[in-house]
Amino acid sequence: MSERSSHWQLQSIVSQLRTARDQWRAQNGRASTEQGGRELPSRAAMAEILEALCGALFPMRLGPVDLREESEDFYVGHTLDVALNALLAQARLELRYAARHSTQVDTEVEARTLQIIQDFALALPGLRSLLDTDVLAAYHGDPAARSVDEVLLCYPGILAVIHHRLAHHLYRAGLPLLARISAEIAHSATGIDIHPGAQIGRSFFIDHGTGVVIGETAIIGERVRIYQAVTLGAKRFPADEDGQLQKGQPRHPIVEDDVVIYAGATILGRITIGKGSTIGGNVWLTRSVPAGSNVTQANLQHDDGAQK
């Protein structure tokens, strides 16, 4: 141990941390599960994989600075090969972990993992086409956007949506942990929190974006535009007879096609915002509204007063 290290009483600290880990593992039935090495996927590895996938999807905008058009296919092929093999390794960790902590025996983890990542790879061209609609929606929906290139390079909403499209595929494929890690990497970078389970249609645009929250069971139609600090959340969290929260129940809003939701609006519960509606800024909404509605704080207060 170096002279500098002796300042920190590292031997004692390391020993105490070992004791804390052993106690936690014993209390949670993990005494033997981690002896063979890391058993969970790596957030750092997923960050590298996602960066590579973004580059492969949009090579001349999100790829390496020295990339030339004549080298695009070589770069995309090499990058995907590395990224997909790395993703395969992370997926294997998640599925093995799930198998070890499940009451059902899964003897086909390897084959299932490979099939999931093969399907993910085959879905990438379709995801690129879908993302093109989101980029164009941002460009056409923001008068400050000078080009689609600016949108791709600068808009946090686009970065969040790219991550979401990738994460949503992983979520539906049976890799919820990798999907959630992917979503949280985008959340950390952009301040936009989209659960990977949310279903989002084509031409989706988040303007500005900071503070946006979209819950797991939200369903968003096509050509929807939302602004910063919008929440599509749950109104209540039902519990079972033992007081445990019920998982997976539909509890977030349905937003139909061509809806605009302005900054600061909070929309809670399994309600429906009808097609073509406009929800004004800072509105608090817990009931469905029909197609073509124009909901503002003023008319909500008027409606509440009339009901009284």
Side-chain angles (χ1 to χ4, degrees), residues 80-245:
L80 284 179
D81 185 44
V82 173
L84 292 170
N85 277 294
L87 184 60
L88 179 68
Q90 296 303 307
R92 185 182 296 116
L93 284 171
E94 175 170 351
L95 292 181
R96 284 178 175 174
Y97 174 85
R100 283 195 296 270
H101 294 83
S102 173
T103 55
Q104 298 179 344
V105 177
D106 190 344
T107 59
E108 300 181 350
V109 167
E110 292 299 321
R112 191 154 62 92
T113 304
L114 181 59
Q115 186 63 58
I116 288 173
I117 304 307
Q118 286 177 334
D119 291 344
F120 177 81
L122 292 173
L124 289 174
L127 290 175
R128 161 66 202 241
S129 297
L130 183 57
L131 286 165
D132 284 342
T133 72
D134 301 320
V135 172
L136 286 173
Y139 172 64
H140 292 304
D142 185 2
R146 290 175 171 82
S147 68
V148 292
D149 304 313
E150 179 184 359
V151 168
L152 263 172
L153 290 169
C154 303
Y155 280 38
I158 290 300
L159 176 60
V161 171
I162 292 172
H163 276 235
H164 175 73
R165 300 293 190 195
L166 297 169
H168 183 65
H169 185 99
L170 296 174
Y171 180 89
R172 292 176 62 86
L175 295 170
L177 182 56
L178 290 187
R180 191 62 186 269
I181 291 171
S182 302
E184 290 305 322
I185 290 169
H187 182 195
S188 298
T190 65
I192 298 169
D193 184 1
I194 310 176
H195 193 285
Q199 301 176 48
I200 300 177
R202 298 166 62 85
S203 301
F204 179 56
F205 176 33
I206 305 174
D207 200 356
H208 304 296
T210 304
V212 165
V213 177
I214 300 175
E216 177 186 19
T217 63
I219 300 175
I220 298 174
E222 298 186 353
R223 300 173 300 280
V224 170
R225 183 165 80 249
I226 67 178
Y227 288 78
Q228 68 270 22
V230 165
T231 297
L232 304 180
K235 185 178 180 181
R236 60 177 61 90
F237 304 97
D240 59 22
E241 296 178 353
D242 298 324
Q244 301 294 319
L245 291 181

Side-chain angles (χ1 to χ4, degrees), residues 11-25 31 34-35:
Q11 187 171 358
S12 174
I13 295 170
V14 168
S15 177
Q16 291 176 62
L17 287 172
R18 160 63 69 180
T19 299
R21 293 196 305 273
D22 288 345
Q23 289 176 347
W24 186 90
R25 286 167 178 160
E34 295 177 338
Q35 291 180 0

